[in-house]
Amino acid sequence: MNKPETILSRSPVGWLTALLMLLCLSTPAWATMPDATAIQAAIDKAYADYKDLEEGANADYIPALAKVDPNVYGIALVTIEGNVYTAGDLKTVVSIQSISKVFTMARVMDESGPQAIYDNMGVDATGQVFNSIVAIEQYKGAEMNALVNPGAIAATGMVQGDSYDDIWNSILGYYSEFAGRKLSVLEDVYTSEAATNQRNQALAMLMYAYGRIEGDALQATDIYTRQCSVGVNAQDLANMAATLANAGKNPVTGKQVAKSENVPEILAVMATAGLYDDSGKWLYRTGLPAKSGVGGGIIAVSPGKFGIAVISPPLDAAGNSVRAQKAIADISNALGGNPYLVQPL
Ligand code: GLN
């Protein structure tokens, strides 16, 4: 009696196909990204799960932020191949706020090397709120990082340029290359924050007193305020995160934006201090270097896999978007995005 012909009995090609099929079936979550359908399903689920969540409140210490619609909720994920997956509101533009600090720090690293950041404000968590004066006092403006306000204003003061306009154009141009389109300032947010940023001016003057800012500390504060007012949507932020996930090369435009050798240091500071004094909790949940802003955005980076961003203005007590944290954690964990997940030998 003839045996029924199977794929295996046909040829070496059959054997190879079978082996590949077996490999695919047994591929662990951490080895490759799931397929497009699974990625979109994870994003749709997180969107639906948290759409009606009413926790947290808009930041109101900057008056313009209190007026933003708290229902804005957009998710975008960009893979290092440049594939884009989205859900919800991709049109609404909010102010980038503290997420800008990552990219100004990156600019300084590109121009002066990562050691310049390490030597000036440092690369350690403060364990304090992002505008803490105590954190400056403790180590005379060192032993902190470029993602809290004093360190961030000092970083803005380190960006090269002969004039206010030179420095500003350098920063805005750099952000735009990360986003893959020409970004601009939300003037109402800038005006509102500039009128109420006396505490940041005080932080900057204290950093100046400790020699952490050279030159005009109030100019650095003003440029910092302007950089925080740059308008971005969820897609812009996801492109920025994906550029970091792809070793500094924007996967959508194909342009090398940041020096690839500095990306590990950028991600290290994000992992240490990206979600203020809740950074440890965040890393524990996701393993992802990330950065939040009081405008309601959060970006997160799964190195070598994807960048993700969520915008949703209501914040928790630590100043991080409630929906964005939940959505990014769920999506990344569903896709095996945690970089600490490795296959045992
Ligand atoms: N522009 C804001 C500030 O300086 C940024 C703070 C934030 O997003 N955490 O207070």
Side-chain angles (χ1 to χ4, degrees):
M1 199 179 94
N2 281 342
K3 279 200 209 144
E5 192 183 77
T6 68
I7 195 170
L8 298 182
S9 58
R10 268 183 235 140
S11 66
V13 177
W15 279 102
L16 205 64
T17 313
L19 193 69
L20 277 175
M21 279 164 65
L22 205 69
L23 269 176
C24 283
L25 285 176
S26 62
T27 300
W30 54 73
T32 53
M33 282 286 281
D35 66 19
T37 314
I39 298 174
Q40 189 60 50
I43 289 175
D44 289 343
K45 178 169 181 352
Y47 182 76
D49 283 352
Y50 303 119
K51 192 175 178 316
D52 299 319
L53 184 75
E54 288 192 4
E55 269 177 42
N58 283 27
D60 58 4
Y61 76 102
I62 300 169
L65 299 186
K67 293 190 210 137
V68 177
D69 179 0
N71 297 313
V72 168
Y73 180 31
I75 304 177
L77 182 150
V78 179
T79 67
I80 59 161
E81 295 83 15
N83 298 324
V84 178
Y85 301 87
T86 62
D89 186 338
L90 299 167
K91 292 217 173 79
T92 302
V93 163
V94 299
S95 53
I96 189 169
Q97 295 297 339
S98 273
I99 299 170
S100 69
K101 292 165 175 168
V102 170
F103 301 96
T104 295
M105 174 180 74
R107 184 69 174 166
V108 173
M109 287 187 187
D110 274 0
E111 290 177 345
S112 309
Q115 194 65 33
I117 292 288
Y118 186 106
D119 290 342
N120 192 11
M121 67 288 288
V123 292
D124 278 303
T126 64
Q128 306 284 340
V129 291
F130 59 79
N131 56 7
S132 169
I133 286 170
V134 173
I136 303 178
E137 280 302 292
Q138 204 175 359
Y139 299 108
K140 299 185 168 33
E143 303 278 329
M144 55 162 69
N145 61 76
L147 303 183
V148 290
N149 290 14
I153 298 168
T156 301
M158 294 165 80
V159 174
Q160 291 171 10
D162 290 336
S163 63
Y164 183 112
D165 286 348
D166 265 5
I167 298 167
W168 170 242
N169 290 331
S170 158
I171 290 174
L172 187 64
Y174 194 64
Y175 291 7
S176 298
E177 288 185 349
F178 271 96
R181 75 173 179 104
K182 202 172 176 320
L183 299 175
S184 58
V185 166
L186 300 175
E187 290 298 337
D188 60 324
V189 177
Y190 169 72
T191 308
S192 175
E193 184 163 349
T196 53
N197 71 349
Q198 290 75 19
R199 187 181 178 95
N200 282 343
Q201 293 178 39
L203 297 176
M205 291 310 280
L206 204 48
M207 291 296 273
Y208 179 84
Y210 285 129
R212 306 283 161 200
I213 297 180
E214 284 173 16
D216 188 339
L218 294 183
Q219 173 175 292
T221 312
D222 191 56
I223 296 176
Y224 163 82
T225 305
R226 202 173 277 281
Q227 81 181 39
C228 287
S229 309
V230 167
V232 282
N233 58 37
Q235 177 72 67
D236 296 328
L237 287 177
N239 288 351
M240 296 173 96
T243 301
L244 292 174
N246 192 37
K249 184 175 181 179
N250 186 320
V252 176
T253 65
K255 182 166 174 131
Q256 187 73 40
V257 181
K259 287 184 183 161
S260 60
E261 64 264 32
N262 296 336
V263 171
E265 282 92 342
I266 297 167
L267 297 180
V269 183
M270 291 170 73
T272 304
L275 266 69
Y276 316 118
D277 41 334
D278 272 357
S279 298
K281 292 189 194 87
W282 172 257
L283 205 61
Y284 196 84
R285 263 169 88 190
T286 67
L288 298 181
K291 184 72 201 89
S292 64
V294 291
I298 298 185
I299 61 168
V301 178
S302 182
K305 288 189 172 170
F306 61 83
I308 182 169
V310 175
I311 290 176
S312 168
L315 311 178
D316 66 12
N320 299 312
S321 166
V322 178
R323 282 196 194 110
Q325 289 177 81
K326 289 180 186 292
I328 295 175
D330 285 6
I331 294 165
S332 176
N333 290 339
L335 303 181
N338 188 327
Y340 299 123
L341 268 177
V342 292
Q343 188 170 16
L345 279 176

